[in-house]
Structure formats: structure tokens, C-alpha cells
Amino acid sequence: MDVKYPNARAHLFDAIRALSTSPDSIQARLIDASESLLTVTIDDFADDPELVVKFTRILDKIAVDRGDAEATAAETAAYMSDAQASILADLVCDFFYEIV
């Protein structure tokens, strides 16, 4: 049985692990998760336009600026409210569920 999107699945799982296994604030967990999230690319889902749109939505929330995406993601997450950070964490988990 072929696993679809093996690279993306591995990195998204790492992101979920960072989100769920730390006693830190949700913002700090998002900063940790963003390292794994940003290694996934839209090209990983090129064969499924719906997944491209959903993943783009996640990227737009965490790394709006296209300069230094990792630094931008850290800064963006650091200034999110708990509610905003929780919504983003939910989007990541829901997206992972869709590609499993």
C-alpha cells in the first residue's frame, strides 16, 4: 500500500507533536511547530487542488510575509491571541487528518 504524501505527513506529524506535547503556551508551541510546517510545500499537494488551498490557508496564517518565513512565523505566532493560535492549531490537525 502506497502512502500518499509521505514527506508532508512526516512533517505535519512532527508539527502536531510539537503542538501537543509541550507545557508551553500555545504560541510557543506554534513557534516550535512552524519549523516542521514550513518544510512542507504546496508542491507536495500538486495533484489535489483542494489540499493546496487548505494548506495555503495554514501558511497564510503562520507566515504571511514571504521573506524569512521561519522568522516571520515565529513573530506571527508570538503575537497571536490564544484563540487565534488555537484556530491555527486546529487547522493543522484537521489538515493532517485529511492526508492520512
Side-chain angles (χ1 to χ4, degrees), residues 36-100:
S36 296
L37 285 173
L38 294 174
T39 58
V40 179
T41 66
I42 292 172
D43 294 339
D44 289 330
F45 312 107
D47 64 334
D48 190 332
E50 186 176 331
L51 290 178
V52 168
V53 169
K54 289 179 180 183
F55 189 67
T56 301
R57 184 175 175 207
I58 292 170
L59 291 179
D60 284 346
K61 289 190 178 292
I62 193 69
V64 178
D65 184 6
R66 299 295 179 227
D68 181 359
E70 203 165 311
T72 301
E75 186 175 331
T76 300
Y79 290 103
M80 285 183 171
S81 68
D82 288 351
Q84 290 170 317
S86 293
I87 289 169
L88 181 54
D90 285 344
L91 287 173
V92 171
C93 293
D94 290 345
F95 187 78
F96 180 74
Y97 179 76
E98 286 197 42
I99 65 169
V100 184

